[in-house]
Amino acid sequence: MERIGPRALVVEGGAMRGVFSCGVLDHFLAEDYTPFDSFWGVSAGASNLAAYLARMPGRNRKIYTDYSCRPAFLTPGRFLLGGDLMDLDWMWRITLDELGIDKAVLAADPRPFFLTVTRQDNGQAEYHTPDVEALAETMKASSALPLLYRKGVTLNGATYVDGGVADALPVAEAIRRGARQIMVLRSRPAGYRKSDGRFPALQRHLLRATPGVTDAMLSRARRYNEALALIRQPPPGVEVVEVCPPESFQLKRLTRDAAPLEQGYELGLAAGADAIRRWEALSGGGQSPGPQSRQSDPAPAV
């Protein structure tokens, strides 16, 4: 394990609720603000970070408010017939074809970008740092929520599912690797606590072919709430800035109405300014050397 620099940015997933962090990161881009040494993304948060690091403001806003609202993405009828409710293959293909991702800019940034994924055979979290050619498939793996996208994604011979299953808020891993000042972009209001999932017996039945993932899915609430406790009470020497949407933020995981998604994005834009002020107060105004310099070598891909 390679150690990382002291300043980390962690971005939570949450499917359509990720439009909030998309807005925060677009505000950072508008301010040319990138004072971090490492980046940690989960599910939709990983996709948002990819657009941020590629310096493509507005890219993911269009995905949330346009592509994700199209009938091709979510099809209940297909799901009832044994297919995927969420067609990630279509989403990745059409957005890469029509919006692209700036691989040259991504490749030029030496700072490590960790994408959290969950290994299907044992339910354990892994933190991958793929090269630009493997980035899109790794992002898809980090977003492949069991049941909604049934088969998972194969990377280097192993199959992975949504990173939020095993580690929705990888703050502990960032600390373990050396982060001491951490900004966490949430997709839930500050007062949210995850409850145990309903119908555990049904979940076990539906996921019976992947018992490792089953156990991880059924224990998500405990690990999520433990991560929140760590954010609120970090160990000595670690400081955390938590950026949450307001308590009025009521987007659902699969919201498909462009108007509330746009409102969520605007909330993120507004929160971005406050996030910068809070981070500057925490760090004393010090700036990261940015993408042209290097604090430490990236950790190797798992």
Side-chain angles (χ1 to χ4, degrees), residues 20 49 66-67 69 87 93 103 141 144 161 186 218 227 233 245:
F20 174 78
L49 272 174
D66 179 359
Y67 292 93
C69 299
D87 193 342
R93 182 174 61 253
K103 294 181 179 180
V161 298
R186 299 280 311 285
L218 293 176
Q233 291 188 310

Side-chain angles (χ1 to χ4, degrees), residues 49-187:
L49 272 174
Y52 171 68
L53 290 169
R55 305 188 69 81
M56 299 180 69
R59 179 188 189 275
N60 283 23
R61 175 187 186 180
K62 184 170 180 60
I63 291 175
Y64 285 109
T65 62
D66 179 359
Y67 292 93
S68 70
C69 299
R70 298 184 189 183
F73 182 46
L74 293 176
T75 307
R78 178 180 59 220
F79 180 73
L80 293 174
L81 293 174
D84 295 322
L85 175 63
M86 182 182 294
D87 193 342
L88 293 180
D89 299 316
W90 171 83
M91 176 65 80
W92 256 250
R93 182 174 61 253
I94 193 170
T95 56
L96 287 173
D97 286 348
E98 297 184 1
L99 302 178
I101 189 81
D102 197 325
K103 294 181 179 180
V105 172
L106 285 166
D109 193 329
R111 296 171 296 176
F113 174 20
F114 296 91
L115 287 79
T116 303
V117 292
T118 301
R119 187 155 170 148
Q120 190 181 67
D121 59 1
N122 61 20
Q124 297 298 305
E126 293 184 4
Y127 310 91
H128 291 203
T129 55
D131 62 27
V132 292
E133 297 305 323
L135 178 63
E137 203 68 4
T138 308
M139 286 193 297
K140 184 163 69 173
S142 188
S143 299
L145 191 67
L147 300 179
L148 302 187
Y149 184 79
R150 298 178 189 271
K151 57 183 178 293
V153 176
T154 299
L155 304 171
N156 299 320
T159 302
Y160 295 91
V161 298
D162 192 296
V165 172
D167 193 358
L169 293 163
V171 174
E173 184 66 17
I175 293 171
R176 189 173 75 90
R177 299 202 189 205
R180 294 297 175 262
Q181 294 180 330
I182 304 169
M183 181 184 287
V184 183
L185 304 186
R186 299 280 311 285
S187 59

Side-chain angles (χ1 to χ4, degrees), residues 40-54:
W40 302 73
V42 184
S43 192
S47 297
N48 288 343
L49 272 174
Y52 171 68
L53 290 169

Side-chain angles (χ1 to χ4, degrees), residues 276-292:
I276 291 175
R277 287 192 293 268
R278 293 170 61 200
W279 184 261
E280 290 298 298
L282 179 72
S283 62
Q287 292 292 314
S288 168
Q292 301 306 315

